[in-house]
Amino acid sequence: MIHFQSEKFKTMLFCDDRGIPLIMPDLFLYSLNRNKNVYEATWSTSLDQRRVKTVELKTVRVSNKTIIECSYELRKFLLWLNEFSENKNHISLDKHHNLPEEILNYYVNDILIFDKSKSEKMVEKSVSALRCYYNYLTYHGFTSFKNIEMKGANRGIARDNARKRNVVKYLSTRLRAELFANAHTLREECLLRAGAECGVRTEENTGFLLEDFKLGTTVYRGMKSLFKLLDDKSFNDKQEFEYWLQGKYSKSRKNGQGGKSRWIYIPRDVLQRFKLYFESERPDCCHNSLFVTASSNGIVRPIAGYQATRDFALVRERVIQKQNQGLLHNSMDVLQQGHTYHILRHSFGTDTFYEIAEENGLKIENVTAMDKPYLVVAELLGHETDGKYAPRTTRTYIRSVKEKMRQENIEYCL
């Protein structure tokens, strides 16, 4: 699915991968921007003995801020649906206006709250946007009314998701090793190692391609070519292998054209685990993605962008259970429910920041956004820079370095 800002209609518009406009979302967004109102559902009870509840749709004025939020939340939903509907005959982007109510609430309660760990405030924004859209479709006769809501039992979990941001954003090397050891499959282990030892985001794991690929006039090695280098005696001393991660598999920029392409450096032992997964566990299929998943119906497909997040959550629960049973060493820092896959990536950035500062004899508190530690970490993690300054996102690592030093008993001597 493709989205873009239309100068002519002054709104965001959508089309499918073939360039065919998605008529209903486009009509809704055009109407929303032009009229600045939505249809709000109110419930009334009939006066007869059956006390049947009926829904009425009333026009409500909305602000420009609400219009923008509605546009972006609808975009997120349609992008998810486009991926979710792959290989499903009864669900598709073309038929999204007639989605069962259960699928809409699955997106709100399972995907946003459990898979993406969204806060209560963020989930409410999505619920509001979906209600606005589907009420619009209902009012104009395109579908039946959908009751979209955050389930009461999940509201507390969404509140806890907001609190998760307060956990320490660093996992020690010992704690990361414990996570790897508790992976039940090679894929789980490989995805965790990709975040912790290569610094990739969860969605960037979809960018590991098997075959060589050409961009412009340059040919880049795919994973199969890198696997061959492992067996080449002339590369026996090589401890890191470069892989070009394309920006289209990364976090989207504001213009919707994907993230920043960059080199990632895969340690030899990690690449060996990738190779073992490919040769012994990965199902045979025609997909070019290294990491794939098999559904309950036996269909093999590339992993979704949130798969690493889901796998991390499974492993996290196993480690926490061992902690609670007293099976881990007392000196090990505690893994918390609030720790997420993204903290593996943050830990990689923290280690890199510390190592470069130490190599250059820099005191942590004196490192500036123009110094090498910030700029190298920004480049490795795919953060946008202006070529001279590291972004604000990268600057948070100074706090994490101090936490690393505390956890690993490093004397503060830089």
Side-chain angles (χ1 to χ4, degrees):
M1 193 192 83
I2 302 168
H3 60 278
F4 58 94
Q5 191 69 25
S6 170
E7 291 297 326
K8 180 178 180 180
F9 296 107
K10 308 299 181 185
T11 183
M12 181 186 293
L13 295 177
F14 306 114
C15 59
D16 64 19
D17 294 334
R18 299 163 294 177
I20 299 174
L22 299 180
I23 299 299
M24 292 183 189
D26 290 349
L27 285 174
F28 165 69
L29 292 178
Y30 175 69
S31 173
L32 183 61
N33 279 271
R34 182 178 181 180
N35 301 320
K36 300 187 184 305
N37 60 49
V38 297
Y39 298 101
E40 189 176 86
T42 57
W43 294 91
S44 61
T45 304
S46 62
L47 298 177
D48 61 21
Q49 294 181 348
R50 292 176 297 171
R51 309 289 291 178
V52 177
K53 281 190 174 183
T54 58
V55 65
E56 297 179 4
L57 297 174
K58 296 182 179 179
T59 303
V60 177
R61 194 80 174 167
V62 292
S63 65
N64 287 330
K65 180 182 177 182
T66 299
I67 292 172
I68 293 171
E69 289 177 351
C70 194
S71 301
Y72 279 94
E73 291 301 326
L74 179 58
R75 174 180 67 87
K76 291 176 186 177
F77 168 70
L78 293 175
L79 284 170
W80 169 81
L81 181 64
N82 192 40
E83 186 176 275
F84 177 74
S85 62
E86 187 177 354
N87 298 319
K88 293 181 176 66
N89 294 327
H90 62 293
I91 298 173
S92 70
L93 198 58
D94 294 336
K95 304 173 184 175
H96 76 275
H97 58 290
N98 276 327
L99 279 177
E101 189 176 282
E102 292 75 16
I103 297 295
L104 298 171
N105 284 310
Y106 169 78
Y107 171 73
V108 168
N109 292 278
D110 290 70
I111 299 302
L112 295 183
I113 297 177
F114 287 94
D115 288 353
K116 296 185 178 296
S117 299
K118 296 295 184 182
S119 67
E120 181 181 23
K121 182 178 179 181
M122 294 304 296
V123 176
E124 284 177 344
K125 284 184 180 180
S126 184
V127 169
S128 176
L130 290 176
R131 283 176 175 171
C132 289
Y133 178 53
Y134 278 93
N135 285 352
Y136 170 86
L137 296 181
T138 301
Y139 185 87
H140 290 285
F142 294 116
T143 190
S144 57
F145 178 74
K146 316 290 183 185
N147 187 24
I148 306 167
E149 59 184 355
M150 190 184 341
K151 294 178 182 177
N154 294 337
R155 192 171 289 276
I157 296 172
R159 292 193 190 108
D160 288 340
N161 287 340
R163 300 187 189 107
K164 287 179 181 180
R165 296 182 175 88
N166 297 323
V167 302
V168 174
K169 293 185 177 181
Y170 181 76
L171 300 178
S172 68
T173 52
R174 288 181 297 174
L175 196 48
R176 279 175 266 166
E178 191 64 36
L179 286 164
F180 303 154
N182 281 274
H184 283 182
T185 66
L186 279 168
R187 192 195 70 188
E188 283 183 356
E189 180 190 342
C190 288
L191 292 178
L192 265 59
R193 287 186 180 274
E197 301 185 43
C198 303
V200 302
R201 302 176 176 94
T202 179
E203 64 267 29
E204 290 174 344
N205 286 291
T206 63
F208 289 106
L209 305 181
L210 292 174
E211 304 296 340
D212 295 351
F213 51 94
K214 187 175 183 180
L215 299 173
T217 59
T218 305
V219 176
Y220 295 93
R221 287 192 179 104
M223 300 308 295
K224 286 183 179 179
S225 292
L226 294 183
F227 295 157
K228 289 179 181 178
L229 296 184
L230 287 173
D231 301 324
D232 189 330
K233 292 182 179 179
S234 62
F235 287 88
N236 281 351
D237 295 332
K238 189 174 180 63
Q239 296 305 309
E240 285 186 334
F241 297 81
E242 300 86 358
Y243 179 79
W244 185 250
L245 181 68
Q246 299 176 64
K248 66 180 181 179
Y249 296 107
S250 188
K251 186 176 181 180
S252 295
R253 295 174 182 168
K254 291 182 179 179
N255 59 14
Q257 297 302 309
K260 181 181 179 181
S261 298
R262 70 187 191 277
W263 288 108
I264 62 172
Y265 300 89
I266 308 174
R268 173 176 282 272
D269 61 332
V270 175
L271 187 60
Q272 288 171 334
R273 301 304 286 174
F274 284 10
K275 184 172 182 284
L276 182 60
Y277 160 76
F278 174 71
E279 294 175 344
S280 64
E281 184 181 291
R282 184 183 185 273
D284 290 331
C285 62
C286 61
H287 296 297
N288 192 30
S289 300
L290 171 62
F291 297 114
V292 297
T293 184
S295 62
S296 56
N297 60 10
I299 296 175
V300 178
R301 61 183 183 277
I303 60 168
Y306 57 80
Q307 187 63 56
T309 297
R310 179 174 289 179
D311 285 357
F312 177 88
L314 293 172
V315 177
R316 180 187 60 206
E317 295 309 310
R318 296 169 199 147
V319 174
I320 289 177
Q321 186 175 14
K322 286 188 175 182
Q323 285 177 171
N324 295 338
Q325 294 172 348
L327 299 177
L328 301 184
H329 199 280
N330 291 335
S331 64
M332 185 179 292
D333 280 273
V334 175
L335 187 66
Q336 303 175 48
Q337 289 288 347
H339 284 132
T340 63
Y341 182 85
H342 193 78
I343 294 179
L344 291 176
R345 165 179 158 87
H346 197 93
S347 300
F348 166 83
T350 300
D351 287 344
T352 304
F353 187 101
Y354 171 79
E355 290 165 6
I356 297 172
E358 188 178 51
E359 288 171 2
N360 289 270
L362 298 171
K363 291 185 177 181
I364 294 298
E365 68 271 21
N366 292 338
V367 178
T368 71
M370 294 182 289
D371 287 332
K372 189 175 180 180
Y374 276 125
L375 295 174
V376 171
V377 170
E379 192 66 29
L380 288 174
L381 296 182
H383 292 163
E384 291 290 348
T385 68
D386 61 6
K388 183 179 179 181
Y389 295 96
R392 183 182 301 174
T393 306
T394 310
R395 298 177 199 178
T396 62
Y397 286 96
I398 195 165
R399 293 192 296 271
S400 299
V401 166
K402 292 179 179 179
E403 178 59 30
K404 166 189 170 66
M405 296 170 75
R406 182 197 68 77
Q407 288 192 25
E408 301 186 354
N409 295 317
I410 300 172
E411 187 176 346
Y412 192 76
C413 57
L414 289 181

